[in-house]
């Protein structure tokens, strides 16, 4: 299930369009994840998770930077995400199922903000891209 | 896992808008499903699944109509979908995993078409509602 040239082109084009706003969307995705799937809050007992929280925004920005890094290194996701992968495996230990939930909420968020662009083909490519990111993040768990 | 009063109200009120585009929403949901998750096509060897196919449109309508039936009997979804539940248990036998995929694609479709209405609260309510529908459809499997 490697990313085809078409997948890469679609993902890169969308990311270019998102520009500096990726953080806004990842923050919204996190808010949606915490609301729809409250079990995901278990990883953040140390944060204020109420809507509009500055800490959630900061977390959203971190996620945005990681995803942008991934988009910039589509040819070597495992390599680019290696440090984050170590972090998740050794310290954070987020259940990989939770990554999927965040991924779902991110797709919903992007669909809301870019309905004209969010074709079935773009959705499929993004979904594939996110699966690869999730794989890379969970690759060192065991 | 039952729906709160607030959740029911959100779903019923959004359904009013969704119903006006029911057929196209159904078709788009399936297009997204088959493109993002090609393994789901396994249940439709007898269909032409190309975009624009009459069978795709007809099936999309059926699916959304069933969701509509659940909304109209939101206080008794199990009763409303009893026949469909038997159909899925004894004849169709769709692997339960696929209901999550379909729900995801429906929510993405609805989010793209009704971005302002699809708030985080609405998203959580719809996700829960679709989980209930999926549970009802799979409850007679064993």
């Amino acid at each position: 299930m490697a990313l085809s040239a078409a997948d890469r082109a679609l993902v890169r084009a969308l990311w270019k369009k998102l520009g500096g706003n990726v953080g806004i969307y990842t923050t919204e995705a996190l808010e949606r994840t915490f609301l729809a799937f409250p079990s995901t809050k278990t990883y953040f007992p140390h944060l204020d998770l109420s809507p509009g929280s500055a800490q959630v925004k900061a977390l959203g920005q971190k996620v945005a930077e990681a995803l942008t890094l991934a988009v910039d290194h589509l040819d070597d996701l495992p390599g680019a995400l290696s440090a984050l992968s170590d972090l998740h495996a050794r310290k954070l230990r987020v259940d990989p199922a939770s990554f999927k939930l965040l991924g779902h909420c991110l797709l919903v968020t992007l669909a809301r903000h870019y309905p004209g662009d969010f074709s079935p083909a773009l959705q499929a490519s993004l979904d594939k891209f996110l699966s690869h990111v999730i794989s890379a993040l969970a690759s060192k768990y065991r | 896992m039952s729906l709160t009063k607030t959740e029911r109200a959100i779903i019923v009120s959004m359904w009013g808008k969704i119903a006006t585009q029911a057929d196209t929403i159904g078709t788009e949901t399936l297009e997204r499903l088959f493109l993002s998750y090609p393994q789901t096509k396994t249940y439709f060897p007898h269909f032409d699944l190309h975009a624009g196919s009459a069978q795709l449109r007809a099936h999309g309508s059926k699916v959304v109509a069933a969701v509509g039936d659940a909304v109209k009997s939101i206080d008794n979804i199990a009763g409303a979908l009893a026949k469909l539940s038997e159909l899925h248990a004894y004849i169709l036998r769709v692997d339960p995993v696929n209901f999550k995929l379909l729900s995801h694609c429906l929510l993405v479709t609805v989010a793209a078409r009704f971005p302002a209405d699809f708030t985080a609260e609405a998203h959580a309510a719809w996700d829960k509602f679709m989980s209930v529908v999926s549970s009802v459809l799979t409850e007679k499997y064993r």
Side-chain angles (χ1 to χ4, degrees):
Chain A
M1 194 197 40
L3 291 172
S4 69
D7 291 326
R8 289 163 204 237
L10 282 171
V11 171
R12 285 179 181 134
L14 176 73
W15 230 254
K16 204 167 172 195
K17 207 166 187 180
L18 299 184
N21 291 332
V22 180
I24 295 176
Y25 307 127
T26 47
T27 300
E28 183 181 323
L30 283 168
E31 283 172 358
R32 284 173 181 270
T33 305
F34 295 141
L35 198 64
F37 312 107
S39 57
T40 56
K41 295 193 283 190
T42 196
Y43 300 106
F44 305 99
H46 52 299
L47 292 193
D48 163 19
L49 298 180
S50 48
S53 140
Q55 292 180 315
V56 175
K57 271 200 199 112
L59 183 63
Q61 194 48 43
K62 271 197 211 165
V63 173
E65 280 157 22
L67 287 176
T68 300
L69 177 72
V71 173
D72 288 339
H73 293 89
L74 291 178
D75 298 322
D76 179 27
L77 282 176
L81 298 176
S82 178
L84 270 176
S85 176
D86 284 335
L87 180 69
H88 283 80
R90 318 248 147 95
K91 261 189 87 190
L92 304 180
R93 296 185 179 138
V94 173
D95 187 309
S98 301
F99 294 132
K100 282 198 186 148
L101 299 177
L102 178 61
H104 157 76
C105 289
L106 182 60
L107 293 186
V108 164
T109 300
L110 292 173
R112 279 186 76 228
H113 291 277
Y114 295 89
D117 298 273
F118 214 72
S119 62
L122 173 59
Q123 179 186 345
S125 295
L126 270 176
D127 192 274
K128 237 167 126 177
F129 162 67
L130 289 175
S131 301
H132 280 260
V133 170
I134 290 170
S135 248
L137 285 180
S139 62
K140 296 179 192 167
Y141 276 38
R142 57 175 178 170
Chain B
M1 192 192 39
S2 65
L3 298 163
T4 65
K5 269 209 189 108
T6 313
E7 286 161 349
R8 288 168 209 229
I10 289 173
I11 288 162
V12 168
S13 100
M14 272 194 72
W15 183 255
K17 291 192 177 178
I18 291 171
T20 64
Q21 299 177 27
D23 289 352
T24 43
I25 285 177
T27 308
E28 185 181 323
T29 296
L30 290 179
E31 273 172 14
R32 291 179 180 282
L33 180 70
F34 295 138
L35 206 62
S36 276
Y37 312 107
Q39 67 272 27
T40 55
K41 294 192 279 191
T42 196
Y43 298 104
F44 303 96
H46 53 301
F47 272 14
D48 163 14
L49 295 178
H50 292 105
S53 117
Q55 288 177 313
L56 198 61
R57 257 180 291 130
H59 197 68
S61 296
K62 258 199 218 171
V63 170
V64 172
V67 173
D69 288 341
V71 176
K72 284 172 212 140
S73 299
I74 201 163
D75 297 322
N76 181 15
I77 295 175
L81 299 183
K83 286 240 169 67
L84 263 183
S85 180
E86 282 172 8
L87 180 71
H88 283 78
Y90 305 137
I91 301 180
L92 302 179
R93 298 188 178 135
V94 172
D95 188 310
V97 165
N98 297 295
F99 293 117
K100 287 200 179 138
L101 303 178
L102 177 68
S103 300
H104 164 71
C105 290
L106 175 64
L107 298 193
V108 166
T109 302
V110 169
R113 284 162 184 256
F114 304 101
D117 296 276
F118 209 68
T119 60
E121 284 74 18
H123 179 171
W126 273 94
D127 190 273
K128 211 170 148 185
F129 170 72
M130 289 306 293
S131 291
V132 173
V133 169
S134 303
S135 283
V136 167
L137 291 180
T138 56
E139 75 187 350
K140 296 177 184 167
Y141 275 37
R142 55 175 179 169

